[in-house]
């Protein structure tokens, strides 16, 4: 019987999983981590352009995939318990964890479970989106309704509680994921579509380099209403609609160039929530040690590459074993025993 090394185990795709989605999730989390690491270096033009380009589609990509993988969500006991243990409880834990750097560095302790801080907004929004899944599956034109809600949300200054601006603004990407079927992803794997996807990403990066300085960063963060960004509702709605279309197009292009076969990082892609929730702690520390070396083009490239390595490291089995209590807590002790359906 052959023995597989721990590093090899990390690369093996989990049985029963499609490596395409794990590959996409891992590549996406590298963009998230690298994007956060270079966020404080945006006074360098290349860093600002890369940040702008990545933020156009990296979270929409995660949200589309989350929607697709949530198509079978129901309010059954098992699904509800998983929702609590994988989203609600980690949200509370990391709201507390991310309050510690503020306490240590700034002497400020500010905890509000209804107002997500830093990275935790995604857990809050995904929790609410997933709860709404059965509603969208009953509508005849769910994507049209979701886009309408997204545009209307930009016309009002919504409260920060429940991350309402992002939850409603990015809602169309989740609903789009719910509407997708396996044949749509098969279409993206065709050779001509892959070539078109690669060209689209290159064109998008070139366009981002050309316009990033003239477009307000808040448009790609989905955090504020139109008037808070300084535009009227008509202009803001057109801009939001353009961001939705651009995001969906870049998500499709990114998925088109994603490998569909098993790769060295397929197994890591099954644990991207670890990298997402943990990397913020590293980012907050790293930002305090950036020197002049980092504020150069080679420095930005080096920091971005470090982000790729950090993302991979945080998805490895040793890190997962040490932090599973926070990211994937075992909550069986908190639930009543599941009842078997009567025959």
């Amino acid at each position: 019987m052959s023995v597989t090394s721990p590093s090899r185990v990390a690369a093996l795709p989990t049985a029963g999983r499609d490596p395409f989605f794990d590959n996409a999730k891992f590549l996406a989390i590298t963009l998230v981590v690298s994007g956060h690491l270079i966020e404080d270096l945006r006074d360098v033009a290349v860093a600002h352009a890369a940040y702008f380009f990545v933020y156009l589609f990296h979270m929409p990509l995660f949200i589309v995939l989350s929607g697709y993988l949530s198509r079978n969500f129901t309010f059954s006991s098992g699904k509800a318990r998983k929702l609590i243990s994988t989203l609600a409880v980690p949200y509370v834990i990391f709201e507390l964890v991310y309050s510690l750097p503020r306490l240590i560095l700034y002497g400020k302790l500010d905890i509000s479970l209804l107002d997500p801080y830093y990275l935790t907004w995604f857990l809050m929004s995904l929790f609410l989106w997933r709860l709404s899944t059965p509603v969208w599956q009953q509508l005849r034109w769910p994507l049209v309704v979701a886009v309408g809600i997204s545009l209307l949300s930009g016309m009002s200054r919504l409260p920060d509680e429940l991350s309402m601006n992002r939850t409603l603004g990015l809602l169309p990407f989740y609903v789009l994921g719910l509407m997708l079927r396996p044949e749509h992803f098969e279409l993206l794997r065709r050779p001509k579509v892959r070539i078109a996807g690669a060209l689209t990403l290159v064109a998008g990066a070139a366009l981002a380099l050309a316009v990033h300085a003239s477009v307000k960063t808040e448009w790609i963060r989905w955090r504020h209403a139109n008037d808070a960004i300084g535009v009227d509702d008509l202009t803001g709605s057109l801009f939001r609609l353009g961001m939705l279309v651009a995001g969906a197009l870049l998500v499709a292009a990114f998925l088109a160039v994603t490998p569909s076969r098993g790769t060295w990082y397929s197994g890591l892609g099954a644990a991207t929530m670890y990298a997402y929730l943990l990397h913020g702690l590293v980012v907050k520390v790293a930002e305090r040690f950036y020197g002049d070396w980092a504020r150069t083009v080679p420095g930005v490239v080096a920091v971005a590459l470090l982000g790729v390595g950090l993302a991979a490291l945080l998805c490895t089995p040793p890190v997962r074993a040490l932090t599973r209590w926070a990211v994937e807590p075992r909550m069986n002790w908190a639930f009543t025993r599941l009842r078997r359906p009567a025959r």
Side-chain angles (χ1 to χ4, degrees):
M1 182 176 65
S2 61
V3 178
T4 306
S5 67
S7 60
R8 178 59 179 161
V9 171
L12 290 174
T14 305
R17 298 178 65 99
D18 186 342
F20 171 77
F21 295 106
D22 286 334
N23 292 340
K25 288 165 61 181
F26 177 77
L27 294 174
I29 198 62
T30 62
L31 295 179
V32 172
V33 177
S34 294
H36 280 142
L37 280 172
I38 67 172
E39 183 174 6
D40 202 45
L41 304 175
R42 284 177 295 149
D43 48 344
V44 181
V46 171
H48 194 283
Y51 179 86
F52 180 81
F53 176 62
V54 167
Y55 266 66
L56 282 172
F57 70 94
H58 76 323
M59 288 313 297
L61 172 60
F62 266 118
I63 296 167
V64 168
L65 293 175
S66 297
Y68 178 76
L69 298 174
S70 299
R71 292 172 301 150
N72 297 324
F73 177 80
T74 64
F75 290 114
S76 64
S77 299
K79 298 286 186 180
R81 294 175 187 214
K82 187 174 181 180
L83 188 66
I84 293 170
S85 60
T86 60
L87 291 178
V89 174
Y91 170 77
V92 174
I93 292 173
F94 279 92
E95 271 291 295
L96 297 174
V97 168
Y98 277 112
S99 69
L100 297 179
R102 283 183 291 179
L103 177 62
I104 296 171
L105 298 176
Y106 310 110
K108 180 181 179 182
L109 181 63
D110 185 14
I111 300 174
S112 174
L113 293 181
L114 295 181
D115 184 6
Y117 173 69
Y118 196 35
L119 304 173
T120 58
W121 72 266
F122 180 63
L123 295 182
M124 172 67 79
S125 296
L126 183 55
F127 182 87
L128 297 173
W129 290 329
R130 195 161 287 169
L131 282 178
S132 72
T133 296
V135 175
W136 301 110
Q137 293 173 334
Q138 299 300 316
L139 296 179
R140 181 169 295 180
W141 301 290
L143 188 57
V144 174
V145 174
V147 170
I149 292 175
S150 176
L151 298 182
L152 288 172
S153 70
M155 300 180 186
S156 304
R157 293 205 176 196
L158 300 174
D160 293 331
E161 284 73 16
L162 304 181
S163 189
M164 292 305 297
N165 287 287
R166 282 168 166 159
T167 300
L168 297 181
L170 292 165
L171 175 63
F173 294 112
Y174 182 79
V175 176
L176 174 61
L178 289 176
M179 296 174 60
L180 294 177
R181 297 293 178 266
E183 54 267 26
H184 296 132
F185 293 98
E186 289 296 331
L187 178 64
L188 292 176
R189 299 178 188 185
R190 295 181 179 178
K192 291 183 179 180
V193 178
R194 287 182 178 274
I195 295 174
L199 294 176
T200 299
L201 290 175
V202 171
L207 183 61
L209 184 61
V211 305
H212 71 95
S214 58
V215 179
K216 292 183 178 180
T217 306
E218 286 304 327
W219 285 115
I220 60 175
R221 290 177 172 171
W222 298 88
R223 298 190 305 183
H224 297 296
N226 299 326
D227 64 337
I229 302 178
V231 298
D232 59 83
D233 285 337
L234 177 59
T235 303
S237 296
L238 292 175
F239 219 109
R240 276 176 170 256
L241 186 60
M243 299 293 289
L244 290 172
V245 172
L249 183 62
L250 290 172
V251 166
F254 187 87
L255 291 174
V257 301
T258 298
S260 56
R261 66 186 184 282
T263 63
W264 65 266
Y265 51 82
S266 295
L268 301 177
T272 51
M273 188 59 78
Y274 285 82
Y276 180 80
L277 290 174
L278 296 171
H279 83 274
L281 298 172
V282 180
V283 171
K284 288 300 182 182
V285 174
E287 288 176 346
R288 299 182 63 84
F289 294 96
Y290 287 154
D292 293 337
W293 67 271
R295 303 185 187 281
T296 62
V297 174
V300 170
V301 173
V303 170
L305 291 177
L306 285 174
V308 177
L310 177 61
L313 174 65
L314 295 178
C315 292
T316 56
V319 174
R320 285 148 59 181
L322 288 172
T323 58
R324 182 170 285 111
W325 63 272
V327 181
E328 292 183 300
R330 292 183 172 90
M331 299 297 298
N332 292 337
W333 57 269
F335 300 129
T336 60
R337 183 175 298 179
L338 280 173
R339 296 180 179 179
R340 295 182 179 180
R343 293 184 179 179

